[in-house]
Amino acid sequence: GEYIQDVIKLNEQWSTLIGLRYDRSSTVFQRELRTFGIPTLPDTETDQTFDRWTPRVGITYQPIPDEWSIYGSYSRSFDPPGGGPRLTDDPLLPEIGEG
């Protein structure tokens, strides 16, 4: 992943944070599900690539500079899927969050 971020001071009391991250994840899953050594589902190979941009922004208000601050933020997150046994051979999906 690549990440860029900057904090911009707007005046004595206000500042803002702006950031952007780019992630590229390529994964090959080889899955097999067996019960007592007997294949439950056919062996499956899934080759997936995920590209995601995830932003981050924040704003800070300091009514008393260098003493007291109020901060608000928004961001998105991206977590590529992990492997492991599954009951289907559907492609795995990444977890995407917001905060």
Coordinates of all heavy atoms in Angstrom, one line a residue:
G1 N 0.8 -1.2 0.0 CA 0.0 0.0 0.0 C 0.9 1.2 0.0 O 2.0 1.2 0.4
E2 N 0.3 2.3 -0.5 CA 0.9 3.6 -0.5 C 0.0 4.6 0.3 O -1.2 4.5 0.2 CB 1.1 4.1 -1.9 CG 1.9 3.2 -2.8 CD 3.4 3.2 -2.4 OE1 3.9 4.3 -1.9 OE2 4.0 2.2 -2.6
Y3 N 0.6 5.5 1.0 CA -0.2 6.4 1.9 C 0.4 7.8 1.8 O 1.6 8.0 1.8 CB -0.1 5.9 3.3 CG -1.1 6.5 4.2 CD1 -2.4 6.1 4.2 CD2 -0.8 7.6 5.1 CE1 -3.4 6.7 5.1 CE2 -1.7 8.1 5.9 CZ -3.0 7.7 5.9 OH -3.9 8.3 6.7
I4 N -0.5 8.8 1.7 CA -0.1 10.2 1.7 C -1.1 10.9 2.7 O -2.3 10.6 2.8 CB -0.2 10.9 0.4 CG1 0.4 12.3 0.4 CG2 -1.5 10.8 -0.2 CD1 0.7 12.9 -0.9
Q5 N -0.5 11.8 3.5 CA -1.3 12.5 4.5 C -0.7 13.9 4.8 O 0.5 14.0 4.7 CB -1.3 11.7 5.8 CG -2.0 12.3 7.0 CD -2.0 11.4 8.2 OE1 -2.7 10.4 8.1 NE2 -1.4 11.7 9.3
D6 N -1.5 14.8 5.1 CA -1.0 16.2 5.5 C -1.9 16.8 6.5 O -3.1 16.5 6.5 CB -1.0 17.0 4.2 CG -0.2 18.3 4.4 OD1 0.5 18.4 5.4 OD2 -0.2 19.2 3.5
V7 N -1.4 17.6 7.4 CA -2.1 18.4 8.3 C -2.0 19.8 7.9 O -0.9 20.3 7.7 CB -1.6 18.2 9.8 CG1 -2.3 19.1 10.7 CG2 -1.7 16.8 10.2
I8 N -3.1 20.5 7.8 CA -3.1 21.9 7.3 C -3.7 22.8 8.4 O -4.8 22.6 8.9 CB -4.0 22.0 6.0 CG1 -3.5 21.1 4.9 CG2 -4.1 23.5 5.6 CD1 -4.4 20.9 3.8
K9 N -2.9 23.7 8.8 CA -3.4 24.7 9.9 C -4.1 25.8 9.2 O -3.5 26.5 8.4 CB -2.2 25.2 10.7 CG -2.6 26.0 11.9 CD -1.3 26.2 12.8 CE -1.7 26.9 14.0 NZ -2.1 26.1 15.1
L10 N -5.4 25.9 9.5 CA -6.2 26.9 8.8 C -6.1 28.3 9.5 O -6.1 29.3 8.8 CB -7.7 26.4 8.8 CG -7.9 25.1 8.2 CD1 -9.4 24.6 8.4 CD2 -7.6 25.1 6.7
N11 N -6.0 28.3 10.8 CA -5.8 29.5 11.6 C -5.3 29.1 13.0 O -5.0 27.9 13.2 CB -7.0 30.4 11.6 CG -8.2 29.8 12.3 OD1 -8.1 29.0 13.2 ND2 -9.4 30.1 11.8
E12 N -5.3 30.0 13.9 CA -4.8 29.7 15.3 C -5.6 28.6 16.0 O -5.1 27.8 16.8 CB -4.8 30.9 16.1 CG -4.1 30.8 17.5 CD -2.6 30.6 17.3 OE1 -2.0 30.9 16.3 OE2 -2.1 30.0 18.3
Q13 N -6.9 28.4 15.6 CA -7.8 27.5 16.3 C -8.2 26.3 15.5 O -8.5 25.3 16.1 CB -9.0 28.2 16.8 CG -8.7 29.2 17.9 CD -10.0 29.9 18.4 OE1 -10.7 30.5 17.5 NE2 -10.2 29.9 19.7
W14 N -8.1 26.3 14.2 CA -8.6 25.2 13.4 C -7.5 24.6 12.6 O -6.7 25.3 12.0 CB -9.7 25.8 12.4 CG -11.0 26.1 13.0 CD1 -11.3 27.4 13.5 CD2 -12.0 25.3 13.3 NE1 -12.6 27.4 14.0 CE2 -13.0 26.1 14.0 CE3 -12.3 23.9 13.1 CZ2 -14.3 25.6 14.4 CZ3 -13.5 23.4 13.6 CH2 -14.5 24.2 14.2
S15 N -7.5 23.3 12.5 CA -6.6 22.6 11.6 C -7.3 21.4 11.0 O -8.3 20.9 11.6 CB -5.3 22.2 12.3 OG -5.6 21.3 13.3
T16 N -6.9 20.9 9.9 CA -7.5 19.7 9.3 C -6.5 18.7 8.9 O -5.3 19.1 8.6 CB -8.4 20.2 8.1 OG1 -9.1 19.0 7.6 CG2 -7.5 20.8 7.0
L17 N -6.8 17.5 8.9 CA -6.0 16.4 8.4 C -6.6 15.7 7.2 O -7.8 15.5 7.2 CB -5.8 15.3 9.5 CG -5.1 14.1 9.2 CD1 -4.2 13.7 10.3 CD2 -6.0 12.9 8.8
I18 N -5.9 15.5 6.2 CA -6.4 14.8 5.0 C -5.4 13.7 4.6 O -4.2 14.0 4.5 CB -6.5 15.8 3.8 CG1 -7.5 17.0 4.2 CG2 -7.0 15.1 2.5 CD1 -7.5 18.1 3.2
G19 N -5.9 12.5 4.4 CA -5.1 11.4 4.0 C -5.8 10.5 3.0 O -7.0 10.4 2.9
L20 N -5.0 9.8 2.2 CA -5.5 8.8 1.3 C -4.5 7.7 1.2 O -3.3 7.9 1.1 CB -5.6 9.5 -0.1 CG -6.3 8.7 -1.2 CD1 -7.8 8.4 -0.8 CD2 -6.3 9.5 -2.5
R21 N -5.1 6.5 1.2 CA -4.2 5.3 1.1 C -4.7 4.4 -0.1 O -5.9 4.3 -0.3 CB -4.3 4.4 2.4 CG -3.5 3.2 2.4 CD -3.6 2.4 3.7 NE -2.9 1.1 3.6 CZ -1.7 0.9 3.9 NH1 -0.9 1.9 4.4 NH2 -1.1 -0.3 3.7
Y22 N -3.8 3.8 -0.8 CA -4.1 2.9 -1.9 C -3.5 1.6 -1.5 O -2.3 1.4 -1.2 CB -3.5 3.4 -3.2 CG -3.6 2.4 -4.3 CD1 -4.8 2.1 -4.9 CD2 -2.5 1.7 -4.7 CE1 -4.9 1.2 -5.9 CE2 -2.6 0.7 -5.7 CZ -3.8 0.5 -6.3 OH -3.9 -0.5 -7.3
D23 N -4.4 0.5 -1.6 CA -3.9 -0.8 -1.3 C -4.2 -1.7 -2.5 O -5.3 -1.6 -3.1 CB -4.7 -1.4 -0.1 CG -4.2 -0.9 1.2 OD1 -3.1 -1.2 1.6 OD2 -5.0 -0.1 1.9
R24 N -3.3 -2.6 -2.8 CA -3.5 -3.6 -3.8 C -3.1 -4.9 -3.2 O -2.0 -5.1 -2.6 CB -2.6 -3.4 -5.0 CG -2.8 -4.4 -6.1 CD -2.0 -4.1 -7.3 NE -2.2 -5.1 -8.4 CZ -3.1 -5.0 -9.3 NH1 -4.0 -4.0 -9.3 NH2 -3.3 -6.0 -10.2
S25 N -4.0 -5.9 -3.2 CA -3.8 -7.2 -2.6 C -4.1 -8.3 -3.6 O -5.2 -8.3 -4.1 CB -4.7 -7.3 -1.3 OG -4.6 -8.6 -0.8
S26 N -3.1 -9.1 -3.8 CA -3.3 -10.3 -4.7 C -3.1 -11.5 -3.9 O -2.1 -11.7 -3.2 CB -2.3 -10.3 -5.8 OG -2.5 -9.2 -6.7
T27 N -4.1 -12.4 -3.9 CA -4.1 -13.6 -3.1 C -4.5 -14.8 -3.9 O -5.5 -14.7 -4.6 CB -5.0 -13.4 -1.9 OG1 -4.6 -12.2 -1.2 CG2 -4.8 -14.5 -0.9
V28 N -3.9 -15.9 -3.7 CA -4.3 -17.2 -4.2 C -4.7 -18.1 -3.1 O -3.9 -18.3 -2.2 CB -3.2 -17.9 -5.1 CG1 -3.7 -19.2 -5.6 CG2 -2.9 -17.0 -6.3
F29 N -5.9 -18.6 -3.0 CA -6.4 -19.5 -2.0 C -6.5 -20.9 -2.6 O -7.1 -21.0 -3.6 CB -7.7 -19.1 -1.4 CG -7.8 -17.7 -0.8 CD1 -8.4 -16.7 -1.5 CD2 -7.2 -17.5 0.4 CE1 -8.4 -15.4 -0.9 CE2 -7.2 -16.3 1.0 CZ -7.8 -15.2 0.4
Q30 N -5.9 -21.8 -1.9 CA -6.1 -23.2 -2.3 C -6.9 -23.9 -1.1 O -6.3 -24.0 0.0 CB -4.8 -23.9 -2.6 CG -4.2 -23.4 -3.8 CD -2.8 -24.0 -4.1 OE1 -2.2 -24.6 -3.2 NE2 -2.4 -23.9 -5.3
R31 N -8.1 -24.2 -1.3 CA -9.0 -24.7 -0.2 C -9.4 -26.1 -0.5 O -9.7 -26.5 -1.6 CB -10.2 -23.8 -0.1 CG -9.9 -22.3 0.2 CD -11.1 -21.5 0.3 NE -11.9 -21.6 -1.0 CZ -12.6 -20.7 -1.4 NH1 -12.8 -19.6 -0.8 NH2 -13.3 -20.8 -2.6
E32 N -9.4 -26.8 0.6 CA -10.0 -28.2 0.5 C -10.7 -28.4 1.9 O -10.2 -28.0 2.9 CB -8.9 -29.2 0.3 CG -7.8 -29.2 1.4 CD -6.7 -30.2 1.1 OE1 -6.2 -30.2 0.0 OE2 -6.4 -31.0 2.0
L33 N -11.8 -29.0 1.8 CA -12.6 -29.3 3.0 C -12.9 -30.8 3.0 O -13.5 -31.4 2.1 CB -13.9 -28.5 2.9 CG -14.8 -28.6 4.1 CD1 -14.1 -28.2 5.4 CD2 -16.1 -27.9 4.0
R34 N -12.4 -31.4 4.0 CA -12.5 -32.8 4.2 C -13.1 -33.2 5.5 O -12.8 -32.5 6.5 CB -11.1 -33.5 4.0 CG -10.4 -33.2 2.7 CD -9.1 -33.9 2.5 NE -8.5 -33.6 1.3 CZ -8.8 -33.9 0.1 NH1 -9.8 -34.7 -0.1 NH2 -8.1 -33.6 -1.0
T35 N -13.8 -34.2 5.5 CA -14.4 -34.8 6.7 C -13.9 -36.2 6.9 O -14.2 -37.0 6.0 CB -16.0 -34.7 6.7 OG1 -16.3 -33.4 6.4 CG2 -16.6 -35.2 8.0
F36 N -13.2 -36.5 7.9 CA -12.6 -37.8 8.2 C -11.8 -38.2 7.0 O -11.8 -39.4 6.6 CB -13.7 -38.8 8.5 CG -14.5 -38.5 9.7 CD1 -15.8 -38.1 9.5 CD2 -14.0 -38.4 11.0 CE1 -16.6 -37.8 10.6 CE2 -14.7 -38.1 12.1 CZ -16.0 -37.8 11.9
G37 N -11.1 -37.3 6.3 CA -10.2 -37.6 5.2 C -10.9 -37.7 3.9 O -10.3 -37.9 2.8
I38 N -12.2 -37.6 3.9 CA -13.0 -37.7 2.6 C -13.4 -36.3 2.2 O -13.9 -35.5 3.0 CB -14.3 -38.5 2.9 CG1 -14.0 -39.9 3.4 CG2 -15.2 -38.6 1.6 CD1 -15.1 -40.7 3.9
P39 N -13.1 -36.0 0.9 CA -13.5 -34.6 0.4 C -15.0 -34.3 0.6 O -15.8 -35.1 0.1 CB -13.1 -34.7 -1.1 CG -12.1 -35.8 -1.2 CD -12.5 -36.8 -0.2
T40 N -15.2 -33.2 1.3 CA -16.6 -32.8 1.4 C -17.0 -31.9 0.2 O -18.2 -32.0 -0.2 CB -16.8 -32.0 2.7 OG1 -16.3 -32.8 3.8 CG2 -18.2 -31.6 3.0
L41 N -16.1 -31.1 -0.2 CA -16.3 -30.3 -1.4 C -15.1 -30.5 -2.3 O -14.0 -30.8 -1.8 CB -16.4 -28.8 -1.1 CG -17.7 -28.4 -0.4 CD1 -17.6 -26.9 0.0 CD2 -18.9 -28.6 -1.2
P42 N -15.2 -30.3 -3.6 CA -14.1 -30.4 -4.5 C -13.0 -29.4 -4.1 O -13.4 -28.3 -3.6 CB -14.6 -30.2 -5.9 CG -16.1 -30.0 -5.8 CD -16.4 -30.0 -4.3
D43 N -11.7 -29.7 -4.2 CA -10.7 -28.7 -4.0 C -10.9 -27.5 -4.9 O -11.3 -27.7 -6.0 CB -9.3 -29.4 -4.2 CG -9.0 -30.5 -3.2 OD1 -9.7 -30.6 -2.2 OD2 -7.9 -31.1 -3.4
T44 N -10.7 -26.4 -4.3 CA -10.9 -25.1 -5.0 C -9.7 -24.2 -5.0 O -9.1 -24.1 -3.9 CB -12.2 -24.4 -4.4 OG1 -13.3 -25.3 -4.5 CG2 -12.5 -23.1 -5.2
E45 N -9.4 -23.6 -6.1 CA -8.4 -22.5 -6.1 C -9.0 -21.2 -6.5 O -9.7 -21.2 -7.5 CB -7.2 -22.9 -7.0 CG -6.1 -21.8 -7.0 CD -4.9 -22.2 -7.8 OE1 -4.2 -23.2 -7.4 OE2 -4.7 -21.5 -8.8
T46 N -8.8 -20.2 -5.7 CA -9.4 -18.9 -6.0 C -8.2 -17.9 -6.1 O -7.5 -17.7 -5.2 CB -10.4 -18.4 -4.9 OG1 -11.3 -19.4 -4.7 CG2 -11.0 -17.1 -5.3
D47 N -8.1 -17.2 -7.2 CA -7.1 -16.2 -7.4 C -7.8 -14.9 -7.5 O -8.6 -14.6 -8.4 CB -6.3 -16.5 -8.8 CG -5.2 -15.6 -9.0 OD1 -5.0 -14.6 -8.2 OD2 -4.5 -15.7 -10.0
Q48 N -7.5 -14.0 -6.5 CA -8.2 -12.7 -6.5 C -7.3 -11.6 -6.3 O -6.3 -11.7 -5.6 CB -9.2 -12.7 -5.3 CG -10.3 -13.7 -5.4 CD -11.2 -13.8 -4.2 OE1 -10.9 -14.3 -3.2 NE2 -12.4 -13.1 -4.3
T49 N -7.6 -10.4 -6.9 CA -6.9 -9.2 -6.7 C -7.9 -8.1 -6.3 O -8.9 -8.0 -6.9 CB -6.2 -8.8 -8.0 OG1 -5.3 -9.8 -8.3 CG2 -5.4 -7.5 -7.8
F50 N -7.5 -7.3 -5.3 CA -8.3 -6.2 -4.8 C -7.6 -4.9 -4.8 O -6.4 -4.9 -4.4 CB -8.8 -6.5 -3.3 CG -9.6 -7.8 -3.1 CD1 -9.0 -8.9 -2.7 CD2 -10.9 -7.8 -3.4 CE1 -9.7 -10.1 -2.5 CE2 -11.7 -8.9 -3.3 CZ -11.1 -10.1 -2.8
D51 N -8.2 -3.9 -5.3 CA -7.6 -2.5 -5.4 C -8.6 -1.7 -4.6 O -9.8 -1.7 -4.9 CB -7.5 -2.0 -6.8 CG -6.5 -2.8 -7.6 OD1 -5.3 -2.5 -7.3 OD2 -6.9 -3.6 -8.4
R52 N -8.1 -0.9 -3.6 CA -9.0 -0.1 -2.8 C -8.3 1.3 -2.5 O -7.1 1.3 -2.2 CB -9.4 -0.7 -1.5 CG -10.3 -1.9 -1.6 CD -11.7 -1.5 -2.0 NE -12.6 -2.6 -1.9 CZ -12.8 -3.5 -2.8 NH1 -12.2 -3.5 -3.9 NH2 -13.7 -4.5 -2.6
W53 N -9.1 2.3 -2.6 CA -8.7 3.6 -2.1 C -9.4 3.9 -0.7 O -10.6 3.7 -0.7 CB -9.0 4.8 -3.0 CG -8.2 4.7 -4.3 CD1 -8.6 4.1 -5.5 CD2 -7.0 5.3 -4.5 NE1 -7.6 4.3 -6.4 CE2 -6.6 5.1 -5.8 CE3 -6.1 6.1 -3.7 CZ2 -5.4 5.5 -6.4 CZ3 -4.9 6.5 -4.3 CH2 -4.6 6.2 -5.6
T54 N -8.7 4.2 0.3 CA -9.4 4.5 1.6 C -9.0 5.9 2.1 O -7.8 6.2 2.3 CB -9.0 3.4 2.6 OG1 -7.6 3.3 2.7 CG2 -9.6 2.1 2.3
P55 N -9.9 6.8 2.2 CA -9.7 8.1 2.7 C -9.7 8.3 4.2 O -10.2 7.4 4.9 CB -10.8 8.9 2.1 CG -12.0 7.9 2.1 CD -11.3 6.6 1.8
R56 N -9.1 9.3 4.6 CA -9.1 9.7 6.1 C -9.1 11.2 6.1 O -8.3 11.9 5.5 CB -7.8 9.2 6.7 CG -7.6 9.5 8.1 CD -6.3 8.9 8.7 NE -6.2 9.3 10.1 CZ -5.0 9.2 10.7 NH1 -4.0 8.7 10.1 NH2 -4.9 9.5 12.0
V57 N -10.1 11.8 6.9 CA -10.1 13.2 7.1 C -10.4 13.5 8.6 O -11.1 12.7 9.2 CB -11.2 13.9 6.2 CG1 -10.9 13.8 4.7 CG2 -12.6 13.3 6.5
G58 N -9.9 14.6 9.0 CA -10.2 15.0 10.4 C -10.1 16.5 10.5 O -9.5 17.2 9.7
I59 N -10.8 17.0 11.6 CA -10.7 18.4 11.8 C -10.5 18.6 13.3 O -11.1 17.9 14.1 CB -12.0 19.2 11.3 CG1 -11.8 20.7 11.4 CG2 -13.2 18.7 12.0 CD1 -12.7 21.4 10.5
T60 N -9.7 19.6 13.7 CA -9.4 19.9 15.1 C -9.7 21.4 15.4 O -9.4 22.2 14.6 CB -7.9 19.6 15.4 OG1 -7.6 18.3 15.1 CG2 -7.6 19.9 16.9
Y61 N -10.5 21.6 16.5 CA -10.7 22.9 17.0 C -10.1 23.0 18.3 O -10.3 22.2 19.2 CB -12.3 23.1 17.1 CG -12.6 24.4 17.7 CD1 -12.3 25.7 17.1 CD2 -13.3 24.5 18.9 CE1 -12.6 26.9 17.7 CE2 -13.6 25.7 19.5 CZ -13.3 26.9 18.9 OH -13.6 28.0 19.5
Q62 N -9.3 24.1 18.5 CA -8.6 24.3 19.8 C -9.1 25.7 20.3 O -8.6 26.7 20.0 CB -7.1 24.4 19.6 CG -6.5 23.1 19.1 CD -5.0 23.2 19.0 OE1 -4.5 24.0 18.3 NE2 -4.3 22.3 19.7
P63 N -10.1 25.6 21.2 CA -10.6 26.9 21.8 C -9.5 27.6 22.6 O -9.4 28.8 22.7 CB -11.8 26.5 22.7 CG -11.7 25.0 22.8 CD -10.8 24.5 21.7
I64 N -8.6 26.8 23.3 CA -7.5 27.3 24.0 C -6.2 26.6 23.4 O -5.9 25.5 23.7 CB -7.5 27.0 25.5 CG1 -8.8 27.5 26.1 CG2 -6.3 27.6 26.2 CD1 -9.1 27.1 27.5
P65 N -5.6 27.2 22.4 CA -4.5 26.6 21.7 C -3.4 26.0 22.6 O -3.1 26.6 23.6 CB -3.9 27.7 20.8 CG -5.1 28.7 20.6 CD -5.8 28.6 21.9
D66 N -3.0 24.8 22.2 CA -2.0 24.0 23.0 C -2.4 23.6 24.4 O -1.6 23.1 25.2 CB -0.7 24.8 23.1 CG -0.1 25.1 21.7 OD1 -0.2 24.2 20.8 OD2 0.5 26.2 21.6
E67 N -3.7 23.7 24.7 CA -4.2 23.3 26.0 C -5.4 22.4 25.9 O -5.5 21.4 26.6 CB -4.7 24.6 26.8 CG -3.6 25.5 27.1 CD -2.6 25.0 28.2 OE1 -3.1 24.3 29.1 OE2 -1.4 25.3 28.1
W68 N -6.3 22.7 25.0 CA -7.6 21.9 24.9 C -8.0 21.8 23.4 O -8.0 22.8 22.7 CB -8.6 22.6 25.7 CG -9.8 21.8 26.1 CD1 -9.9 20.8 27.0 CD2 -11.1 22.0 25.6 NE1 -11.1 20.3 27.1 CE2 -11.9 21.0 26.3 CE3 -11.8 22.9 24.7 CZ2 -13.3 20.9 26.0 CZ3 -13.1 22.7 24.5 CH2 -13.9 21.8 25.2
S69 N -8.4 20.6 23.0 CA -8.8 20.3 21.6 C -10.0 19.5 21.5 O -10.3 18.6 22.3 CB -7.7 19.6 20.9 OG -6.5 20.3 20.9
I70 N -10.8 19.7 20.4 CA -11.9 18.9 20.0 C -11.6 18.4 18.6 O -11.2 19.2 17.8 CB -13.2 19.7 20.0 CG1 -13.5 20.3 21.4 CG2 -14.4 18.9 19.5 CD1 -14.7 21.3 21.4
Y71 N -11.7 17.1 18.5 CA -11.3 16.5 17.2 C -12.4 15.6 16.7 O -13.0 14.8 17.4 CB -10.0 15.6 17.4 CG -9.5 14.9 16.2 CD1 -8.8 15.6 15.2 CD2 -9.7 13.6 16.0 CE1 -8.3 15.0 14.1 CE2 -9.2 12.9 14.9 CZ -8.5 13.6 13.9 OH -8.0 13.0 12.8
G72 N -12.7 15.7 15.4 CA -13.6 14.8 14.7 C -13.0 14.2 13.5 O -12.1 14.9 12.9
S73 N -13.3 13.0 13.2 CA -12.7 12.3 12.0 C -13.6 11.4 11.3 O -14.6 10.9 11.9 CB -11.4 11.6 12.5 OG -11.8 10.5 13.3
Y74 N -13.2 11.0 10.1 CA -13.9 10.0 9.3 C -12.9 9.2 8.5 O -11.9 9.8 8.0 CB -14.9 10.7 8.3 CG -15.4 9.7 7.3 CD1 -16.5 8.8 7.7 CD2 -14.9 9.6 6.0 CE1 -17.0 7.9 6.8 CE2 -15.4 8.6 5.1 CZ -16.4 7.8 5.5 OH -16.9 6.9 4.6
S75 N -13.0 7.9 8.5 CA -12.1 7.1 7.7 C -12.8 5.9 7.2 O -13.8 5.5 7.8 CB -10.8 6.8 8.5 OG -11.2 6.0 9.6
R76 N -12.2 5.2 6.2 CA -12.6 3.9 5.7 C -11.4 3.0 5.9 O -10.3 3.4 5.9 CB -13.0 4.0 4.2 CG -14.3 4.7 4.0 CD -14.6 4.6 2.5 NE -15.8 5.4 2.3 CZ -16.2 5.7 1.0 NH1 -15.5 5.3 0.0 NH2 -17.3 6.4 0.9
S77 N -11.8 1.7 6.0 CA -10.7 0.7 6.1 C -11.0 -0.5 5.2 O -12.1 -0.6 4.7 CB -10.7 0.2 7.6 OG -11.9 -0.5 7.9
F78 N -9.9 -1.2 4.9 CA -10.0 -2.3 4.0 C -9.1 -3.4 4.5 O -7.9 -3.2 4.9 CB -9.4 -1.8 2.6 CG -9.0 -2.9 1.7 CD1 -10.0 -3.7 1.1 CD2 -7.7 -3.1 1.4 CE1 -9.6 -4.7 0.2 CE2 -7.3 -4.1 0.5 CZ -8.2 -4.9 -0.1
D79 N -9.6 -4.6 4.6 CA -8.9 -5.8 5.1 C -9.1 -6.9 4.1 O -10.2 -7.4 4.0 CB -9.3 -6.2 6.5 CG -8.4 -7.2 7.1 OD1 -7.3 -7.4 6.7 OD2 -8.9 -7.9 8.1
P80 N -8.0 -7.3 3.4 CA -8.2 -8.4 2.4 C -8.6 -9.7 3.1 O -8.3 -9.9 4.3 CB -6.9 -8.6 1.7 CG -5.9 -7.6 2.4 CD -6.7 -6.8 3.4
P81 N -9.3 -10.6 2.4 CA -9.8 -11.8 3.1 C -8.6 -12.8 3.4 O -7.6 -12.8 2.8 CB -10.7 -12.5 2.0 CG -10.2 -11.9 0.7 CD -9.6 -10.6 1.0
G82 N -8.9 -13.5 4.5 CA -7.9 -14.6 4.9 C -8.4 -15.9 4.3 O -9.5 -16.0 3.8
G83 N -7.6 -16.9 4.3 CA -8.0 -18.2 3.8 C -8.6 -19.1 4.8 O -9.0 -18.6 5.9
G84 N -8.7 -20.3 4.5 CA -9.2 -21.3 5.5 C -10.3 -22.1 5.0 O -10.8 -21.8 3.9
P85 N -10.7 -23.2 5.7 CA -11.8 -24.0 5.2 C -13.1 -23.2 5.2 O -13.4 -22.4 6.1 CB -11.8 -25.1 6.2 CG -11.0 -24.7 7.4 CD -10.1 -23.6 6.9
R86 N -13.9 -23.6 4.2 CA -15.2 -23.0 4.1 C -16.2 -24.0 3.5 O -15.8 -25.0 3.0 CB -15.2 -21.8 3.1 CG -14.2 -20.7 3.6 CD -14.4 -19.4 2.9 NE -15.8 -19.2 2.4 CZ -16.1 -18.6 1.4 NH1 -15.2 -18.0 0.6 NH2 -17.4 -18.4 1.0
L87 N -17.4 -23.7 3.7 CA -18.4 -24.7 3.2 C -18.9 -24.5 1.8 O -19.6 -25.3 1.2 CB -19.7 -24.6 4.2 CG -19.4 -25.1 5.6 CD1 -20.7 -24.9 6.4 CD2 -18.9 -26.5 5.7
T88 N -18.4 -23.4 1.2 CA -18.8 -23.1 -0.2 C -17.5 -22.8 -1.0 O -16.4 -22.6 -0.4 CB -19.7 -22.0 -0.4 OG1 -19.1 -20.8 -0.1 CG2 -21.0 -22.1 0.5
D89 N -17.6 -22.8 -2.3 CA -16.4 -22.4 -3.1 C -16.6 -21.0 -3.7 O -15.9 -20.6 -4.6 CB -16.1 -23.4 -4.2 CG -17.2 -23.6 -5.2 OD1 -18.3 -23.0 -4.9 OD2 -17.1 -24.3 -6.2
D90 N -17.5 -20.2 -3.1 CA -17.7 -18.8 -3.5 C -16.4 -18.0 -3.2 O -15.7 -18.3 -2.3 CB -18.8 -18.2 -2.7 CG -20.2 -18.8 -3.0 OD1 -20.3 -19.4 -4.1 OD2 -21.1 -18.7 -2.2
P91 N -16.2 -17.0 -4.0 CA -15.0 -16.1 -3.8 C -15.1 -15.5 -2.4 O -16.2 -15.1 -1.9 CB -15.1 -15.1 -4.9 CG -15.9 -15.7 -6.0 CD -16.9 -16.6 -5.2
L92 N -13.9 -15.3 -1.8 CA -13.9 -14.6 -0.5 C -13.9 -13.1 -0.8 O -13.4 -12.6 -1.8 CB -12.6 -15.0 0.2 CG -12.5 -16.5 0.5 CD1 -11.1 -16.8 1.0 CD2 -13.5 -16.9 1.5
L93 N -14.5 -12.3 0.1 CA -14.6 -10.9 0.0 C -13.8 -10.2 1.1 O -13.7 -10.7 2.2 CB -16.1 -10.5 0.1 CG -17.0 -11.1 -1.0 CD1 -18.5 -10.7 -0.8 CD2 -16.6 -10.6 -2.4
P94 N -13.3 -9.0 0.8 CA -12.6 -8.2 1.8 C -13.6 -7.6 2.8 O -14.8 -7.5 2.5 CB -11.9 -7.1 1.0 CG -12.8 -6.9 -0.2 CD -13.3 -8.3 -0.5
E95 N -13.1 -7.3 4.0 CA -13.9 -6.5 5.0 C -13.6 -5.1 4.7 O -12.5 -4.6 4.6 CB -13.4 -6.9 6.4 CG -13.8 -8.3 6.8 CD -13.4 -8.6 8.2 OE1 -13.4 -7.7 9.0 OE2 -13.1 -9.8 8.5
I96 N -14.7 -4.3 4.7 CA -14.6 -2.9 4.5 C -15.4 -2.2 5.6 O -16.5 -2.6 6.0 CB -15.2 -2.5 3.1 CG1 -14.5 -3.2 2.0 CG2 -15.3 -1.0 2.9 CD1 -14.9 -2.9 0.6
G97 N -14.7 -1.2 6.2 CA -15.3 -0.6 7.4 C -15.3 0.9 7.2 O -14.6 1.5 6.4
E98 N -16.1 1.6 8.1 CA -16.2 3.1 8.1 C -16.2 3.5 9.6 O -16.7 2.8 10.4 CB -17.4 3.6 7.5 CG -17.4 3.5 6.0 CD -18.7 4.1 5.4 OE1 -19.8 3.6 5.6 OE2 -18.5 5.2 4.7
G99 N -15.5 4.6 9.9 CA -15.5 5.0 11.2 C -15.5 6.5 11.3 O -15.2 7.2 10.4

